[in-house]
Amino acid sequence: MSVRTRFAPSPTGYLHIGGVRTALFNWLFARQHDGQFLLRVDDTDQQRNVESALAPILHGFRWLGLDWDEGPEVGGDRGPYYQSQRSELYQAAVEQLLASGAAYRDFATTEELQAERDAAKEAGKSFVYSRRWAAETDADAQRFAAEGRAGVVRLKMPREGELVINDLIRGEVRVAWASEQDHVIQRADGSCLYHLATVVDDHAMGITHVIRAEEHLPNTPRQVFIMQSLGYELPAFAHLPYVAEPGSKNKLSKRKLDKYLKNREFAALVQHGESIAARMNLTVDTDVFNPVIVDFYEQIGFLPDALLNYLLLLGWSLDGEREEFTREEMIELFSLERVNRAPASFDPQKLLAFQDRAMQQLPAKQKTARCVPYLQAAGLVATPPDCDTGPQLTKILAAAGDRVKMAGDVLDYDDFFRADDQLQYDDKAFEKRLVKPPAAAELLRKFAERLAAVDPFDAATVEAALKSFVEAEGIKIGDIIHALRVATTGKAVGFGMFETLEILGRDRAVNRIQLALAKLPPA
């Protein structure tokens, strides 16, 4: 039998890191076993669904390279893949459960149920619904309806014995049936709840392994009861540990950004992303610029495989030592047996380290291609870029080295792409390095003349020219090199000065020095 796994996101917002980790494990398991990975849209809760939210979810999967074999935009012979379009199947299941006595129509009001809960609490007992307002016959249902009561359908859960599940991660799980309530599976308006819909769909779509977050473990008894009552074969269950907050055992939530910003590494990542967005003139949407959301990493220039590699290790380990895996190695080596039971803490600093390593290992041509869109978005290069952009950018990235940790970091070197007369100066650096030192202007004038005659104009020859100039003037290199950097780049820091000048070229370097000198106040 072919392995079939699924991930069923609700269209209520952007892709959450924890959800993607779950999807990744499902995808890896299916790929390893030459099976199928399905994407199904869980939109049974119409009040919470946001139609526009599905597009970024699907885009996120495409960006990560987590392709799905059946589902939205792909199709398949087990569709439709939207739960809102499968109501007839759910209704048939409800009627079968009612006919077999595994479910019943209930007409209790919210107040009546609460009164029973309060009474049980006062007596020091666990709440067990009396089923007082259950409709045994159609006549009962008509009588309750005539009283103005709205009826729901509840499961008639067993009150003796226990359920035993062999979870592929948690081992043997035992649940006393008496601890389960008579859960509602169909609302008064006829719409069905998730617990019924997911069971019916998993069966209809041939899902063999339900791999999901441990928060669904408490749902499993009622779902197994539905499966058994409908005569379905049970899939294998595997409940993954949740992804925890940085340095905490609490579950990571996309709604707690303010809290996470108290974590230094988390805050630094957010600020870095906001800086990149600002330079691209993007409006910072807090729903997106949140390191708990996958879209954040795409927008600031992470590599999909670096993010997936890190997420793989949030709850899974090969041998406790090895951390780096190609996508092919992930598929080959992944196993549910090596998934831990304990929650894994999300560590922004470690994630950044994965990205940094992956970025430095990226071939120069690929790194250049990933950075060009950020320069285009900031209006620094044309679309499409001219023929000089690629070679120039490749040189910049080589000189910058590990300073470019993500593609958006290329915007730190915007000065190379600005017209000489549009160079933006750091005011404090300009004042400190060019205005205050009394000899700075004259030294720059003299060196500009020397620079204009340097041939060939490469880093080694420029360096030799500067050293010769420093020796001839009887000064220290620090007396001019800082002023030279600010004059040619507008900034106080950057990669090697000589590599910088080589990339700019003779004419631009000399022109920028002259423009900077022209900005100086009269002596």
Side-chain angles (χ1 to χ4, degrees):
M1 180 174 60
S2 178
V3 166
R4 290 172 65 84
T5 66
R6 52 78 171 168
F7 183 70
S10 298
T12 57
Y14 292 93
L15 270 177
H16 181 273
I17 283 291
V20 172
R21 195 280 309 266
T22 298
L24 172 64
F25 283 16
N26 275 276
W27 184 85
L28 290 173
F29 190 79
R31 293 288 173 264
Q32 184 186 68
H33 291 86
D34 295 323
Q36 295 83 45
F37 171 64
L38 282 69
L39 201 59
R40 186 174 72 220
V41 181
D42 176 7
D43 56 353
T44 54
D45 190 345
Q46 295 298 314
Q47 292 183 345
R48 295 181 63 237
N49 290 333
V50 180
E51 186 174 350
S52 61
L54 180 59
I57 290 174
L58 299 182
H59 175 81
F61 275 98
R62 285 192 293 269
W63 176 70
L64 289 166
L66 298 181
D67 56 321
W68 56 102
D69 301 293
E70 297 177 29
E73 300 183 354
V74 173
D77 58 7
R78 305 287 185 102
Y81 295 92
Y82 294 82
Q83 291 187 330
S84 59
Q85 299 173 14
R86 300 173 64 84
S87 57
E88 290 184 4
L89 287 172
Y90 309 146
Q91 184 59 44
V94 168
E95 291 172 2
Q96 184 178 340
L97 291 169
L98 287 169
S100 68
Y104 62 92
R105 299 188 185 280
D106 182 59
F107 290 83
T109 66
T110 302
E111 293 76 16
E112 288 163 344
L113 288 172
Q114 188 59 49
E116 288 201 1
R117 289 192 182 92
D118 293 343
K121 183 178 181 181
E122 186 175 344
K125 299 179 179 178
S126 298
F127 167 65
V128 178
Y129 177 41
S130 67
R131 299 173 181 164
R132 176 179 172 185
W133 292 276
E136 299 286 348
T137 64
D138 289 342
D140 290 339
Q142 292 172 4
R143 175 169 53 83
F144 284 136
E147 295 175 3
R149 295 173 177 270
V152 299
V153 176
R154 292 182 182 276
L155 295 174
K156 193 171 185 179
M157 299 296 291
R159 292 188 172 170
E160 294 180 351
E162 65 178 1
L163 170 68
V164 180
I165 303 171
N166 183 28
D167 190 280
L168 296 179
I169 294 172
R170 313 224 158 244
E172 187 177 83
V173 177
R174 292 178 174 269
V175 180
W177 285 120
S179 66
E180 290 293 311
Q181 300 298 323
D182 287 357
H183 305 285
V184 175
I185 57 171
Q186 187 174 45
R187 303 179 183 92
D189 64 4
S191 62
C192 293
L193 276 73
Y194 160 80
H195 302 294
L196 176 77
T198 194
V199 165
V200 172
D201 288 343
D202 282 348
H203 173 72
M205 295 179 184
I207 302 303
T208 61
H209 293 75
V210 175
I211 305 170
R212 57 188 182 181
E214 68 173 290
E215 64 193 65
H216 290 286
L217 187 57
N219 303 331
T220 305
R222 74 194 75 168
Q223 292 171 1
V224 168
F225 177 74
I226 294 172
M227 294 175 195
Q228 292 174 334
S229 299
L230 292 173
Y232 296 169
E233 182 178 350
L234 269 61
F237 289 99
H239 288 90
L240 308 172
Y242 60 81
V243 178
E245 298 172 355
S248 167
K249 294 295 185 182
N250 297 322
K251 184 182 175 184
L252 189 70
S253 169
K254 61 185 176 183
R255 299 179 180 87
K256 295 183 179 179
L257 180 58
D258 289 344
K259 174 184 177 181
Y260 301 151
L261 289 178
K262 295 176 183 177
N263 176 286
R264 185 176 62 183
E265 288 80 15
F266 207 104
L269 194 54
V270 172
Q271 290 166 5
H272 194 80
E274 290 175 345
S275 174
I276 291 172
R279 284 179 284 180
M280 291 192 294
N281 298 314
L282 292 178
T283 300
V284 175
D285 183 345
T286 54
D287 286 339
V288 178
F289 275 82
N290 180 339
V292 176
I293 301 299
V294 168
D295 295 65
F296 172 82
Y297 298 98
E298 180 186 9
Q299 293 208 19
I300 64 177
F302 263 62
L303 298 171
D305 281 8
L307 181 57
L308 291 180
N309 195 159
Y310 176 70
L311 292 180
L312 172 69
L313 299 177
L314 287 180
W316 179 88
S317 173
L318 179 64
D319 54 17
E321 296 182 4
R322 183 178 173 185
E323 292 189 329
E324 294 188 42
F325 302 89
T326 65
R327 189 173 293 241
E328 293 73 19
E329 289 169 338
M330 292 184 206
I331 293 172
E332 178 187 354
L333 299 171
F334 179 77
S335 65
L336 290 173
E337 289 78 13
R338 293 187 179 276
V339 175
N340 301 316
R341 297 184 186 182
S345 179
F346 179 77
D347 185 342
Q349 191 170 22
K350 188 169 184 179
L351 170 58
L352 188 58
F354 272 84
Q355 165 62 22
D356 188 9
R357 286 196 297 269
M359 195 69 170
Q360 305 324 312
Q361 294 168 5
L362 202 65
K365 188 174 182 179
Q366 292 183 32
K367 187 183 293 188
T368 298
R370 286 189 175 273
C371 290
V372 166
Y374 290 85
L375 296 170
Q376 291 173 323
L380 295 169
V381 302
T383 303
D386 60 45
C387 59
D388 294 330
T389 297
Q392 182 187 23
L393 180 53
T394 299
K395 291 179 182 178
I396 292 168
L397 293 173
D402 62 4
R403 292 178 177 85
V404 177
K405 300 183 184 304
M406 57 195 78
D409 288 343
V410 72
L411 297 176
D412 289 342
Y413 305 99
D414 59 340
D415 49 287
F416 287 98
F417 300 94
R418 296 186 185 279
D420 296 342
D421 59 356
Q422 297 297 313
L423 188 63
Q424 297 177 352
Y425 297 93
D426 180 316
D427 292 337
K428 290 183 178 179
F430 194 89
E431 176 75 17
K432 180 179 180 181
R433 299 302 186 184
L434 275 79
V435 177
K436 287 186 176 180
E442 184 59 26
L443 289 172
L444 279 175
R445 285 191 185 95
K446 288 182 178 181
F447 185 64
E449 295 174 1
R450 178 79 64 94
L451 206 58
V454 170
D455 188 40
F457 201 83
D458 55 36
T461 310
V462 170
E463 181 178 7
L466 183 62
K467 289 181 177 178
S468 175
F469 177 79
V470 166
E471 185 177 349
E473 293 293 323
I475 60 174
K476 296 177 181 179
I477 197 168
D479 294 335
I480 185 172
I481 199 166
H482 301 301
L484 181 60
R485 181 179 294 282
V486 175
T488 54
T489 69
K491 300 171 182 175
V493 296
F495 52 73
M497 188 71 252
F498 308 115
E499 289 86 351
T500 296
L501 293 173
E502 178 182 338
I503 294 169
L504 282 172
R506 179 192 297 105
D507 293 343
R508 294 188 73 195
V510 171
N511 189 40
R512 287 189 173 194
I513 293 172
Q514 292 171 345
L515 288 170
L517 291 173
K519 287 179 61 69
L520 291 171

